[in-house]
Amino acid sequence: MSSKDKTWKEISIAGVCPKSSESFKTGDWKTYMPILDTEKCIVCLTCVMLCPDGAINWIPDTNKISFDYTFCKGCGICANECPAKALTMKIDNTEG
């Protein structure tokens, strides 16, 4: 990021970010974060397909789901659409 680029916190409301989300970590936007109950998860990949930020990934070698919280904005689509109800949204307590 060059010295003249603004962070998302400095951009005007309804402004457009000059970077793609791949190079612009947006995970600190969230209030809630998805928590996976591995006992309930049926690895249907619905959450992976519906995550608008690509923050949920399937690891084929282990057939497990992983979360990249540096990109998750806490929208809750994954928890809302999970057919097994394996995801719940919890308050994000990771901020130091």
Side-chain angles (χ1 to χ4, degrees):
M1 190 180 301
S2 74
S3 61
K4 65 182 176 180
D5 287 341
K6 293 181 179 183
T7 68
W8 72 267
K9 293 177 184 179
E10 299 168 317
I11 296 172
S12 301
I13 293 175
V16 177
C17 175
K19 301 259 183 201
S20 76
S21 64
E22 286 185 5
S23 63
F24 204 64
K25 311 279 190 243
T26 54
D28 61 348
W29 292 11
K30 67 184 167 297
T31 301
Y32 290 90
M33 61 192 295
I35 303 297
L36 179 66
D37 181 339
T38 57
E39 297 293 318
K40 290 182 179 179
C41 182
I42 58 173
V43 194
C44 65
L45 306 182
T46 299
C47 58
V48 175
M49 292 183 289
L50 295 179
C51 178
D53 298 306
I56 309 174
N57 300 293
W58 174 57
I59 306 166
D61 295 341
T62 60
N63 196 35
K64 293 188 179 186
I65 304 297
S66 72
F67 293 84
D68 187 344
Y69 292 113
T70 59
F71 293 106
C72 174
K73 293 183 185 82
C75 68
I77 292 172
C78 57
N80 190 55
E81 298 299 325
C82 178
K85 302 300 176 204
L87 287 162
T88 55
M89 299 303 288
K90 301 288 184 188
I91 295 286
D92 178 13
N93 292 324
T94 59
E95 192 171 311

